[in-house]
Amino acid sequence: MRPGRVSIRRALVGLVLILVVGVVGTSVYFSRTQWVPAGHVGVVYSASGGLQRRVIRPSRVFVPWLSQLYVYPTFVQAAIYTNDPGAGEVRAADAVQVTTNDNANTPFDIVVWYRVEPDNVFTVFESFRAIPIREIQSQHIRGAVRQGASIVGTQYDAFQMMGPKRREASEKLTQELRKVLERKGITIVRAEFAGAYPSEEILTRITRRLNSLTDLRIAEIKQGIAKVERDTAVVKATAEARANVLTSAQTKDRSLEVLRLEADEAAIEKWNGHMSPIQVRPGQNVVVTPDLLSRLGTAPAGGGQQ
């Protein structure tokens, strides 16, 4: 064999080997890469080296042999615990039993909105180790929900939990979950008591209470109407009495004025047109002689003094 042909053959073999190694390496690389999707962060745990202290943002990442990628959601997730077979994680009765202070044991649908902050990823991993987020949600978060619901439920009766106090109870449940889960790296956005599945006995009790409250409310409304009518009558009577007083005072003043006018009119009719020769000041004594009386035409028969 000629040396030139040997060299060409060796070159071709080397090129084939390089291609094979490249294909195998590329295949191995892509077989060991995984995606951290948008809205998530990840960490890599190695059986030999432990947890890598690097938060992996959304991207494609190579996961070495004997290592595992754990992904956690940074956007809000909804954990739904319900008896509705068409909702929630478990397609079966998964509602949370809540015991209230009237000894009623009622299943409640509960929804929890949560997320994992990027800075808390290591805390989550150290708290739950090699457990995927779905198992954390179905086991640990659910356990915290059951514990929190049992604490909150004893503060209310069944009627309050299903009606007027449900929002308040949901806020307290949110606070209870934050106490338990946020130190483990799970950020609780909100928790809420949703639908309930009361027994027939509890429904009868609630219906009876609603009827009582309705009757009480109707009585309060009637009492309010009666009070308004009573106050209106008092105001009207007071106004009429005041009007009568004013009218009476005006009539009295007018009557006195009319009497004075009538007296003046009578005096004018009797006046002869001459001013009285006697002008008397208050407190002054007047002596009337017979001559004066004769001049005035009013002298008495025997005369005299006054």
Side-chain angles (χ1 to χ4, degrees):
M1 184 178 294
R2 295 181 180 181
R5 291 182 177 179
V6 173
S7 299
I8 293 174
R9 181 175 294 178
R10 288 178 179 176
L12 290 174
V13 171
L15 180 59
V16 170
L17 288 176
I18 292 173
L19 290 175
V20 170
V21 170
V23 170
V24 172
T26 302
S27 300
V28 171
Y29 174 81
F30 281 104
S31 67
R32 296 301 304 171
T33 57
Q34 299 180 33
W35 279 102
V36 176
H40 294 73
V41 292
V43 292
V44 174
Y45 177 79
S46 172
S48 58
L51 181 65
Q52 296 182 9
R53 308 301 293 186
R54 179 173 70 96
V55 177
I56 303 172
R57 304 288 176 171
S59 61
R60 192 178 186 93
V61 59
F62 176 75
V63 181
W65 294 100
L66 301 177
S67 298
Q68 179 68 41
L69 174 68
Y70 294 93
V71 178
Y72 304 98
T74 56
F75 68 98
V76 177
Q77 299 278 308
I80 303 173
Y81 308 102
T82 176
N83 279 355
D84 185 355
E89 299 176 41
V90 180
R91 306 300 179 181
D94 195 36
V96 178
Q97 295 285 338
V98 179
T99 302
T100 49
N101 58 18
D102 55 350
N103 294 323
N105 193 15
T106 307
F108 274 86
D109 292 340
I110 296 180
V111 183
V112 180
W113 289 269
Y114 73 95
R115 59 182 298 186
V116 177
E117 299 289 347
D119 294 339
N120 294 333
V121 172
F122 299 127
T123 303
V124 175
F125 185 85
E126 291 168 358
S127 299
F128 302 103
R129 290 297 173 180
I131 300 178
I133 189 64
R134 286 299 173 189
E135 292 185 18
I136 294 174
Q137 176 176 312
S138 61
Q139 298 177 14
H140 296 275
I141 296 181
R142 190 182 192 281
V145 168
R146 294 178 62 183
Q147 178 183 349
S150 65
I151 294 173
V152 174
T154 56
Q155 303 176 32
Y156 304 95
D157 58 35
F159 173 76
Q160 292 173 330
M161 286 287 293
M162 296 179 199
K165 296 293 185 179
R166 181 161 59 178
R167 181 182 296 274
E168 179 182 309
S170 296
E171 293 174 355
K172 290 184 178 182
L173 177 60
T174 301
Q175 297 302 321
E176 291 295 333
L177 293 180
R178 285 173 179 170
K179 291 179 186 178
V180 176
L181 294 174
E182 290 197 348
R183 64 172 178 262
K184 297 181 180 181
I186 304 294
T187 299
I188 300 299
V189 179
R190 190 171 81 256
E192 184 173 332
F193 288 98
Y197 306 90
S199 63
E200 290 295 330
E201 179 185 355
I202 295 175
L203 280 177
T204 302
R205 189 190 312 170
I206 291 174
T207 302
R208 190 181 304 118
R209 183 169 179 179
L210 282 173
N211 292 336
S212 299
L213 290 175
T214 301
D215 294 340
L216 177 61
R217 182 57 180 163
I218 292 173
E220 290 175 350
I221 292 173
K222 290 182 177 179
Q223 184 178 1
I225 293 173
K227 183 178 184 303
V228 171
E229 292 177 347
R230 183 173 62 253
D231 293 344
T232 302
V234 171
V235 171
K236 183 178 180 181
T238 303
E240 290 178 352
R242 180 62 178 167
N244 292 334
V245 170
L246 293 175
T247 302
S248 176
Q250 292 174 358
T251 303
K252 180 179 179 182
D253 293 342
R254 183 177 179 184
S255 299
L256 294 175
E257 183 67 23
V258 169
L259 291 174
R260 283 194 293 270
L261 291 174
E262 291 177 349
D264 291 343
E265 183 179 359
I268 291 172
E269 290 178 353
K270 294 180 180 181
W271 185 45
N272 58 8
H274 297 286
M275 295 296 294
S276 175
I278 301 173
Q279 302 294 328
V280 181
R281 292 189 297 272
Q284 179 182 358
N285 294 326
V286 178
V287 178
V288 181
T289 63
D291 294 338
L292 179 60
L293 290 175
S294 63
R295 288 200 300 269
L296 292 175
T298 58
Q305 296 179 352
Q306 183 178 358

